Amino acid sequence: DSFSVYAWRTLGLGLGLLFVIACGASATATPRPTSAPAATSVPVPTAVPAATAVPPAPASAAVGKLTLMLPQLGNERWDNPLQNGAVLSYNRLQGAELAARDEDSKLIPGLASEWGLSADGLTWTWTLRKGAKFHDGKEVTAEDAFWTFQHYFGHDETRGALDIAIAGGIQRWAKNTEKVTMAGDTMSWTMVSVNSGLAAEMSEAGPTAYKIMPKGGDKYWEEQDSADYDKNPIGAGPMVLTKQVIADRMEFERFDDYYYQPANGLPEDRRMKFAELDLLLVPEESTRVAALQAGEADIVPASLEGRDQIEAGGGRLVFGREGNYLMVYTVGAWKPEFPVTDKRVRQALAYSIDKELMRDNLFGAEVFEIKGWSIVTPSSLGYTPAADPFPYDPDKARALMAEAGYPNGDNFGTLIVDTWVSASFPFMTESAQLAASFWEKELGIDVDVRIGDEADIKKRVLTEELYGHLLWRDNETRMDTAGGINYWLGDPKLDSRLHEDQSLFDQIQAAASTIDPAARSKAYNELVLRLKDESYQLSFGYVNIPWGVGPNVAEWTPFSLALYPSALHTVVLK
């Protein structure tokens, strides 16, 4: 049977994997949506209730320290164009964005009190709220927002965003920027082409923290690898960086003047209820779980393997629903010399993996859900159950490979798979190794799984260096998937593009340009079904992120659709 065939590979994952299997057998499924979400409109501010008349707690009421341990901290830079890797965990502590989010990922006013879209769908206008402050006490203004967006996406001689940015998202939006302007309390951003997902991308619900920086915050670069802003990263977020030891830790203090509080007309106090936060780099899960049990950590990414040890220490697991997903694709797949240029090969790679075995033997049913198409999960724009992953069908997979001219893997060559240890996706590298064993057995192809550094791989994947390699990675889930689909599959000039099908480029652009809510939902339903069939990205499922929470934390409700330790303003320490 399938399990015995792969027993040697599975045993190689260690005794801990057997513990995962045992825990997963008694797992209770995490609640999730059972139907597609309602039509999603172009994001506009959701009305918020009037601020409560009860005064916020004084600064002195915030006491205690929260300690987070994470296996990745990205490249530990602070200026967005130079950031790469798992940076959201600290970026959203230090910075604040134009739009905030609620627990359902709907956009609500943030540093911008309101925003709107021009009739032609090209110009977004943001009105900056009064009273928000940076960590140095200066007020956040439209001038700061204007400077920030010029810095991120502008094209003048002092910025050169396309030349200096190593972050793919920065490059994508810079290419689509016509101009950034300012008038009074408003900042306007005009695009080259309509992209109805832009507001969500610029919010706390987006995959990147496009925080507002103080004007001139980086003092400009003398060279690409030396930015003054890294030495004194002033932001408008809920925490102030007080100490940074590269490859070890970041230490923060609560920002008492954080803007999101009733004193600024907002409906709740989102200032931290604790005074200090330590963010520690600890790659090994066993070390993190032991620290949680010993009271040396409060929140850590974990897996079901550590549940008994966590609970024995008085802790518990808390799940971040639809936190991230497996994003699997071949880099430069549009080049005809690679076998995956053939759709039959791409589909064969998907059909040949037993996703239920992967779920049950690695993750557990509480953690891994075999639903959705790639970035599109059940709570996302474009979801339909018909887009759920292909079933395990090795006979069909072998027939597809034979039709494509690679029977038993003949003449296929070696498939190189690049992956990394994820900050919030348990057993990601092991799942890549398990997939490799399926492809070797069912399709007869040679597979070489390479585990590397996340920031380094993300940088190299934007070049031709990894052409022909398959990338097995985690990625951010999100409510509005327009920006992600457009980036990975809708840009014909992207070096790491996945196809050269002009009709698909046109369909993606047409969906991104659709503003009417009902028409937009229909357009993305149709697009997602086509993307599933094309299989430029292989779809396996998403993860409800298991966070180990120590006994010192009385309350914490993380946001859904967030792969980092989110909603820390809800943390209550004992």
Side-chain angles (χ1 to χ4, degrees), residues 399-515:
L400 286 167
M401 287 289 282
E403 291 174 14
Y406 304 103
N408 302 313
D410 294 346
N411 302 314
F412 189 90
T414 299
L415 179 62
I416 299 173
V417 179
D418 292 295
T419 188
W420 57 74
V421 176
S422 169
S424 55
F425 199 117
F427 295 112
M428 189 172 79
T429 58
E430 290 85 349
S431 67
Q433 292 164 342
L434 186 58
S437 68
F438 274 105
W439 291 330
E440 289 168 351
K441 174 189 178 290
E442 304 292 9
L443 304 180
I445 61 178
D446 294 325
V447 185
D448 178 10
V449 177
R450 299 177 180 179
I451 302 172
D453 174 74
E454 176 184 4
D456 176 63
I457 293 175
K458 285 184 173 179
K459 184 177 180 179
R460 291 161 60 210
V461 82
L462 297 175
T463 71
E464 296 186 12
E465 185 178 350
L466 298 186
Y467 274 12
H469 292 209
L470 187 139
L471 192 62
W472 187 281
R473 56 167 290 180
D474 58 346
N475 200 40
E476 304 89 352
T477 52
R478 60 198 85 174
M479 172 66 92
D480 195 306
T481 53
I485 290 174
N486 191 69
Y487 175 64
W488 293 107
L489 293 152
D491 185 355
K493 296 181 180 179
L494 188 71
D495 288 338
S496 54
R497 62 190 179 276
L498 307 186
H499 68 94
E500 288 205 309
D501 185 337
Q502 188 59 50
S503 69
L504 181 56
F505 286 132
D506 292 343
Q507 184 176 353
I508 292 171
Q509 186 56 52
S513 302
T514 303
I515 297 175

Side-chain angles (χ1 to χ4, degrees), residues 324-386:
N324 54 14
Y325 69 96
L326 265 179
M327 183 179 185
V328 181
Y329 65 92
T330 303
V331 184
W334 55 274
K335 295 182 74 66
E337 60 262 36
F338 301 126
V340 290
T341 305
D342 192 317
K343 181 171 71 173
R344 293 168 295 187
V345 172
R346 299 192 298 270
Q347 289 186 348
L349 292 173
Y351 276 115
S352 58
I353 295 179
D354 188 339
K355 301 160 192 68
E356 293 182 0
L357 183 145
M358 180 182 289
R359 176 196 63 198
D360 297 340
N361 289 0
L362 282 179
F363 306 106
E366 284 174 290
V367 174
F368 194 74
E369 299 273 1
I370 307 171
K371 284 186 175 293
W373 170 84
S374 193
I375 193 175
V376 180
T377 59
S379 295
S380 300
L381 170 70
Y383 176 73
T384 170

